[in-house]
Amino acid sequence: MTEELTARNTEPFVICRDVRKSFGSNEVLRGISLEVKKGEVVVILGPSGSGKSTLLRCINHLETMDSGMITVGGEAIGYEMRNGELWEAPYPVVAKQRSRIGMVFQAFNLFPHLTVLENVMLFPVSVHHVPKDEAKKKALEILDRVGLADKANEYPRRLSGGQQQRVSIARALAIEPELLLFDEPTSALDPELVGEVLQTMKSLAEQGYTMIIVTHEIPFTREVADRVVFMADGVVVEEGAPDDVMVNPKTDRFRTFLSRYL
Ligand code: ADP
Ligand code: MG
């Protein structure tokens, strides 16, 4: 039993294999391979334009890759098995795959006409058909976890940017995701509001969520990441444990990048 569990835990939960994506003649992802284990927190660092957002969007199938393969929990994103062959999946299958993945963007994208509680309940009720009272109970629990239970009946505009971003994290958690993707979640925030959002993410990491985070927050990365991936020009340039690669970068490229944030 123990052996079985160990074997399962070391199996990668997310696998990106030779992912390629171009926009016209702009080759944005040039063969990205990446593995993330269950419960692992991977931070992707890299200069602007290196393809970080595009990679996250491919994992969530908001973008279709040109070639390569992405699996999440053993399922090939955007594909389904039919008669032992992989076929492009129809929308309902893609939606189901996507519903296992929570994503938090730089812009909070909350619905302004809905309260905090209604924002968090929206997807479970309208997409996952969770009964309203059950969704409400769950949403309140999650809001409590991100420290916003007392804001449940407020409208987003009455909250600070940091609080709004914590609501969008709560909204991502409400679908009970198996994977959380964060795309520069603190980049749009005033400096004094960054800490509370990073603290919320740190607590999710401690709770064992599997997370892929694009950020420029270097001290946070050193503290929270199990592994760091440095991307530039659509390829993975370096990866490893933060205390290793961030202390002794092997390439000039990564060294220069880090020096700009220290
Ligand atoms: P990063 O997140 O690392 O800053 P992105 O993945 O956003 O990088 O972008 C990588 C490159 O892909 C950029 O040159 C950007 O202009 C281009 N790009 C991203 N999305 C699109 C799109 N939908 N259409 C055309 N070009 C795009
Ligand atoms: Mg980006």
Side-chain angles (χ1 to χ4, degrees):
M1 183 64 189
T2 316
E3 259 168 52
E4 209 176 282
L5 268 179
T6 314
R8 205 182 311 140
N9 288 347
T10 53
E11 205 171 277
F13 184 67
V14 182
I15 303 174
C16 301
R17 197 152 289 155
D18 200 22
V19 175
R20 289 171 189 272
K21 173 75 183 174
S22 296
F23 294 105
S25 60
N26 185 6
E27 208 183 355
V28 173
L29 299 179
R30 299 188 296 143
I32 296 279
S33 294
L34 183 70
E35 292 186 351
V36 182
K37 294 186 189 83
K38 192 105 201 160
E40 201 177 15
V41 177
V42 171
V43 168
I44 301 178
L45 300 174
S48 170
S50 54
K52 307 178 300 292
S53 295
T54 303
L55 177 64
L56 288 192
R57 293 170 60 82
C58 285
I59 295 173
N60 205 7
H61 205 61
L62 291 170
E63 208 72 76
T64 316
M65 58 198 160
D66 299 334
S67 67
M69 174 73 90
I70 297 175
T71 61
V72 175
E75 266 189 67
I77 294 296
Y79 293 89
E80 66 175 354
M81 275 294 211
R82 265 183 258 146
N83 307 323
E85 275 180 65
L86 273 184
W87 290 80
E88 228 168 89
Y91 180 74
V93 174
V94 171
K96 190 151 178 286
Q97 293 177 339
R98 203 178 273 154
S99 74
R100 303 166 62 202
I101 304 170
M103 185 146 175
V104 177
F105 301 87
Q106 183 175 327
F108 327 128
N109 299 320
L110 296 173
F111 293 102
H113 60 291
L114 299 179
T115 65
V116 163
L117 179 64
E118 287 164 347
N119 265 281
V120 178
M121 285 171 63
L122 186 67
F123 293 126
V125 171
S126 65
V127 182
H128 296 235
H129 309 294
V130 176
K132 256 193 168 166
D133 46 349
E134 196 182 308
K136 182 175 173 182
K137 188 165 167 271
K138 187 82 210 276
L140 286 170
E141 263 171 46
I142 293 169
L143 282 170
D144 193 34
R145 254 196 276 160
V146 300
L148 289 174
D150 59 328
K151 303 290 182 198
N153 297 315
E154 287 287 9
Y155 284 88
R157 67 173 179 280
R158 305 244 316 173
L159 306 185
S160 72
Q163 290 170 333
Q164 289 187 49
Q165 190 59 305
R166 281 150 64 202
V167 174
S168 62
I169 292 173
R171 186 176 54 179
L173 296 177
I175 60 165
E176 301 190 331
E178 295 173 75
L179 171 66
L180 284 171
L181 307 176
F182 293 86
D183 193 358
E184 299 199 28
T186 59
S187 294
L189 296 175
D190 291 336
E192 73 271 22
L193 303 176
V194 168
E196 64 186 80
V197 173
L198 294 180
Q199 190 53 47
T200 302
M201 292 164 65
K202 186 179 167 204
S203 120
L204 297 178
E206 287 163 357
Q207 287 166 47
Y209 279 99
T210 310
M211 299 159 79
I212 304 178
I213 305 167
V214 173
T215 183
H216 295 293
E217 299 292 337
I218 300 298
F220 167 83
T221 302
R222 284 279 314 262
E223 195 186 341
V224 177
D226 295 309
R227 198 147 46 85
V228 171
V229 172
F230 175 63
M231 265 176 79
D233 296 330
V235 296
V236 173
V237 176
E238 287 195 42
E239 71 171 286
D243 286 342
D244 192 359
V245 292
M246 291 174 80
V247 177
N248 292 307
K250 289 188 201 70
T251 58
D252 285 341
R253 195 87 203 256
F254 193 23
R255 193 172 304 118
T256 308
F257 174 86
L258 285 172
S259 68
R260 261 186 255 132
Y261 288 93
L262 294 177

